[in-house]
Amino acid sequence: MADPATYRPAPGSIPESPGVYRFRDPDGRVVYVGKAKSLRQRLNSYFADFAGLHPRTQTMLTTAASVDWTVVGNEVEALQLEYSWIKEFDPRFNVKYRDDKSYPFLAVTMGEDFPRVQVLRGAKRKGTRYFGPYSHAWAIRETVDLLLRVFPVRTCSAGVFKRAGQIGRPCLLGYIDKCSAPCVGRVTPEEHRALAEDFCDFMAGNTGRFIKRLEREMRDAAAVEEYERAARLRDDVQALQRALEKQTVVLGDDTDCDVIALAEDPLEAAVQVFYVRGGRIRGQRGWVVDKVEETTPGELVEQFLLQMYGEAAIPREILVPARPPDETALAELLSEQRGSRVDLRVPQRGDKKSLMETVERNAKESLAQHKLRRASDLTTRSRALQEIADALDLDQVPLRIECYDVSHIQGENVVASMVVFEDGLVRKSEYRRFSIRSGEGDVASIYEVICRRFKRYLEERVATGELDAEPASDDGAREPAVGTPIDPETGRPRKFAYPPNLVVVDGGPAQAAAARRALDELGVDDVAVCGLAKRLEEVWLPGDDQPVILPRSSEGLYLLQRVRDEAHRFAIAYHRSKRSKPLRESALDQVPGLGPARRQALLRHFGSVKRLREASAEEIQTVPGIGPATAEAIVAALRGQSPSPAGQGS
């Protein structure tokens, strides 16, 4: 590993102009490419305070052995050169967007003498028009099958096409009128190309003129009593309409845009794009990216736009979740590539905002599915557990990991969660939640919850005979049952009978020290403890001054992060339910004998607690199920206290 001080540029040697810089490793390979409005200011930030940099940036600097740069005239040129270098050198520390699957496109090979419609994946070919991408190949084939009735374009391979021409007989599609059979000369090359161009126009969104033309021809055929031809045209119109129904209308007919949304965590990000043409969703695509450096949503958007639209067609409007740092320069670059103005917008309201929320939900689902696939792999889980054991110097791999998190708002309704992972997989039946009694901060709360959990563990060990039990008391209390960790009364595993190999707490050195202190006071010395700080993903061991930095590509770090995030989610869910409970309470809850069903009946009848408070006992008795005594109790309860917002809202 190199020392960044050994290759730091001499003071004053870095220009203040905009430009693009490259970090290279000892073998000369480019490991990172970046751009800057001021090269001097940007590069000095790498070397000024190494300890204050993000751990991933530190890794990049110690991997590199030199840095060079190129001065450009403006920010647009910097964006262009950065994209060119990233494409050329493929640096390992730059953000790289990779498909989470290979998406199929509907392709029309307009570069051939007889254009062909087919499903294609992978790199795009010159002279071919592409539509999509689509989520599934079968969706393309269903659409093509409907459209071939109206636009009978060739779909066969070159070999089939050539053989049909040699034998003078078309394939089955030619006989059922789903191919114009140019192979045997039924149509001229010009007529077949016109069909292919109409097919492309329909797929590009110019649908109205084709349906109107067919409807006009259908009426003309019916007028001259050519009913069979009119029926065929009617079926053609219905086929086009069914093809259109498969594409959801989301915006105005003249709207062409790409809608981009992000879902991210500290290690990865998922990007989803919906392609809207003519107001309809024509396709979607997704990427998953490793976040090598600490980046903002705007920076992710900028990097994505540069890589996405380096070669792809650019629409006149791009909806993004956050504004890029160099929005003006990026819009100018995209406009230059498109040949006309390109607008970058963050939707704030209306249909476009709703569509952005839909795309964002897809991005979140894509990230969740990616994590699930990664976590379900046995080899990956085994490697993750071994990496954790090596990093924390454990005697054995932590087959059972428990993670604890605390949730509150300004010290109110303090709760904690305990989640369990066994063999790298969630064990939701073992999850537990705690209401914190001390309320003296996160450190004290961690100490309390660890004490309570492991006191129960020690009690269960006594019950199973692993520890010596106290003798029975003189008041006849039953002695704890001895045996396995199965409760003899319920036949179920005891709640806290199994100890973890590793306790993870959400937090830094203070939280880790509090958990260790709680275990030491209870005499539990065979359980390892660590803390995972969310800001920099640092692993802290109790009593250590420096954190344990797991490699960016470490599966162990990924597993610890997933455990911590699950504990955080579980704690927040409990905190929300506890916080919202008082808001659901009203004065009616204090009336003895008045259950939920009759409370709901009263509120439905009177509309609100305020109106119910103004009603007399006789009026209340008109509600089915409410007798005189209950009505009097309701009147006394409601008029005996002042109205409250919570009560009125019930």
Side-chain angles (χ1 to χ4, degrees):
M1 292 173 56
D3 182 0
T6 60
Y7 63 89
R8 177 176 182 172
S13 63
I14 308 175
E16 295 184 355
S17 308
V20 183
Y21 54 91
R22 294 176 292 192
F23 283 90
R24 299 177 181 269
D25 65 11
D27 297 323
R29 291 189 296 263
V30 176
V31 296
Y32 185 75
V33 172
K35 63 169 177 34
K37 296 179 182 179
S38 170
L39 285 169
R40 178 178 297 179
Q41 183 177 352
R42 179 59 175 150
L43 288 176
N44 282 340
S45 68
Y46 285 105
F47 300 99
D49 181 18
F50 181 81
L53 295 174
H54 192 280
R56 299 163 198 163
T57 307
Q58 293 178 351
T59 304
M60 185 271 290
L61 289 174
T62 54
T63 302
S66 63
V67 60
D68 58 58
W69 57 84
T70 296
V71 175
V72 296
N74 52 53
E75 296 173 29
V76 176
E77 292 180 9
L79 284 168
Q80 289 176 319
L81 184 57
E82 180 190 29
Y83 167 72
S84 299
W85 278 0
I86 290 175
K87 184 178 178 182
E88 178 182 354
F89 299 114
D90 191 24
R92 56 176 290 201
F93 285 101
N94 279 93
V95 170
K96 300 173 187 175
Y97 288 91
R98 61 180 187 274
D99 284 338
D100 54 3
K101 63 175 77 172
S102 178
Y103 285 87
F105 286 82
L106 172 57
V108 185
T109 58
M110 299 300 294
E112 298 183 8
D113 294 335
F114 294 95
R116 174 191 176 192
V117 175
Q118 59 182 319
V119 178
L120 287 181
R121 301 176 187 262
K124 294 187 177 180
R125 306 171 186 175
K126 187 176 181 180
T128 299
R129 291 196 63 179
Y130 290 86
F131 303 95
Y134 292 79
S135 300
H136 304 283
W138 55 261
I140 301 179
R141 295 189 178 97
E142 285 185 355
T143 301
V144 170
D145 187 62
L146 291 169
L147 295 182
L148 288 180
R149 180 183 181 91
V150 184
F151 310 108
V153 185
R154 166 198 164 205
T155 57
C156 59
S157 65
V160 172
F161 184 83
K162 182 178 179 181
R163 176 166 177 76
Q166 291 172 343
I167 64 176
R169 188 172 66 243
C171 64
L172 175 63
L173 292 178
Y175 283 108
I176 63 175
D177 296 328
K178 285 195 174 182
C179 178
S180 56
C183 54
V184 294
R186 286 186 185 175
V187 294
T188 65
E190 292 75 16
E191 290 172 335
H192 185 267
R193 180 168 293 275
L195 284 173
E197 289 174 349
D198 287 346
F199 182 97
C200 292
D201 284 347
F202 185 88
M203 290 301 303
N206 301 323
T207 58
R209 69 182 180 95
F210 294 106
I211 294 178
K212 290 178 182 178
R213 186 190 71 190
L214 291 174
E215 288 176 340
R216 184 174 60 252
E217 293 177 0
M218 178 183 67
R219 289 191 296 268
D220 293 343
V224 296
E225 299 183 357
E226 294 182 2
Y227 298 118
E228 291 184 2
R229 180 168 176 266
R232 286 196 300 271
L233 290 169
R234 177 204 61 199
D235 294 342
D236 291 348
V237 171
Q238 292 175 350
L240 293 184
Q241 290 173 339
R242 286 198 301 273
L244 287 176
E245 289 170 0
K246 293 179 178 294
Q247 300 165 342
T248 307
V249 179
V250 290
L251 298 173
D253 290 343
D254 59 344
T255 302
D256 290 345
C257 66
D258 288 353
V259 188
I260 301 169
L262 295 170
E264 58 176 323
D265 61 27
L267 296 179
E268 294 176 306
V271 183
Q272 282 283 317
V273 182
F274 277 23
Y275 303 95
V276 180
R277 300 294 182 268
R280 297 175 180 270
I281 299 176
R282 301 290 179 177
Q284 80 179 83
R285 195 174 182 182
W287 290 261
V288 178
V289 61
D290 289 327
K291 295 168 65 175
V292 180
E293 272 199 305
E294 187 175 19
T295 54
T296 65
E299 291 170 339
L300 283 173
V301 168
E302 180 180 284
Q303 294 161 353
F304 174 76
L305 292 177
L306 283 174
Q307 296 183 41
M308 167 69 181
Y309 296 112
E311 297 176 350
I314 304 175
R316 60 173 174 258
E317 184 179 15
I318 302 175
L319 305 182
V320 295
R323 297 189 181 280
D326 298 325
E327 180 182 1
T328 304
L330 186 58
E332 185 178 341
L333 175 61
L334 295 175
S335 300
E336 182 181 319
Q337 292 179 347
R338 185 177 191 270
S340 60
R341 179 177 173 179
V342 175
D343 292 326
L344 296 178
R345 295 179 180 173
V346 180
Q348 301 295 331
R349 63 184 67 86
D351 293 339
K352 292 181 179 179
K353 175 66 173 177
S354 300
L355 180 57
M356 173 66 75
E357 293 171 351
T358 300
V359 183
E360 184 178 353
R361 286 195 296 271
N362 277 265
K364 291 179 178 177
E365 178 65 21
S366 175
L367 184 61
Q369 291 297 322
H370 169 75
K371 288 179 174 293
L372 186 62
R373 287 193 298 269
R374 185 173 176 179
S376 61
D377 182 70
L378 177 60
T379 304
T380 302
R381 295 202 316 270
S382 300
R383 184 166 67 251
L385 293 173
Q386 188 60 55
E387 288 176 356
I388 293 173
D390 294 340
L392 304 184
D393 197 23
L394 305 180
D395 296 333
Q396 58 181 350
V397 295
L399 295 179
R400 180 182 171 104
I401 301 175
E402 292 181 2
C403 185
Y404 298 83
D405 187 25
V406 176
S407 181
H408 61 85
I409 295 180
Q410 296 181 345
E412 297 293 330
N413 295 320
V414 186
V415 300
S417 66
M418 176 187 110
V419 301
V420 179
F421 276 57
E422 290 188 352
D423 196 22
L425 297 175
V426 297
R427 186 73 179 274
K428 290 194 174 183
S429 62
E430 301 287 312
Y431 284 16
R432 299 291 178 264
R433 55 190 191 181
F434 304 82
S435 291
I436 301 300
R437 301 160 186 161
S438 62
E440 298 176 0
D442 288 355
V443 175
S445 299
I446 287 291
Y447 173 81
E448 177 186 327
V449 73
I450 296 295
C451 284
R452 288 167 58 183
R453 185 267 184 264
F454 282 91
K455 281 181 181 177
R456 292 290 303 275
Y457 161 61
L458 295 176
E459 291 171 2
E460 297 289 359
R461 290 188 67 187
V462 170
T464 59
E466 295 180 56
L467 293 180
D468 293 335
E470 297 291 336
S473 59
D474 294 335
D475 60 2
R478 181 177 58 87
E479 292 187 8
V482 177
T484 66
I486 302 297
D487 192 314
E489 295 182 356
T490 65
R492 298 177 179 177
R494 300 177 186 274
K495 290 184 177 180
F496 294 97
Y498 299 101
N501 303 107
L502 174 65
V503 165
V504 181
V505 294
D506 183 13
Q511 286 83 354
R516 182 74 268 170
R517 178 163 53 89
L519 292 174
D520 291 343
E521 291 177 1
L522 293 172
V524 179
D525 57 3
D526 56 350
V527 175
V529 175
C530 73
L532 183 59
K534 191 165 190 176
R535 189 175 70 89
L536 296 178
E537 302 299 325
E538 297 169 333
V539 179
W540 290 90
L541 295 176
D544 286 2
D545 296 331
Q546 297 295 326
V548 176
I549 305 296
L550 275 74
R552 169 62 189 84
S553 58
S554 167
E555 292 293 338
L557 177 61
Y558 173 80
L559 177 57
L560 288 177
Q561 182 212 22
R562 185 163 176 256
V563 171
R564 188 269 320 281
D565 291 347
E566 178 67 1
H568 187 61
R569 180 201 64 79
F570 193 50
I572 287 178
Y574 181 36
H575 179 261
R576 284 175 178 166
S577 67
K578 189 174 182 181
R579 187 180 70 231
S580 62
K581 185 177 180 181
L583 301 178
R584 298 193 300 267
E585 294 177 348
S586 71
L588 293 176
D589 297 333
Q590 311 302 321
V591 179
L594 190 65
R598 290 199 287 177
R599 285 202 298 270
Q600 289 295 324
L602 285 167
L603 291 174
R604 278 196 301 268
H605 182 82
F606 290 99
S608 68
V609 175
K610 181 180 180 181
R611 291 184 180 179
L612 179 59
R613 183 179 290 109
E614 296 169 352
S616 64
E618 290 74 16
E619 292 173 326
I620 295 175
Q621 291 180 50
T622 61
V623 178
I626 305 296
T630 304
E632 293 293 343
I634 292 171
V635 171
L638 292 179
R639 296 180 182 176
Q641 60 181 3
S642 60
S644 65
Q648 293 177 11
S650 298

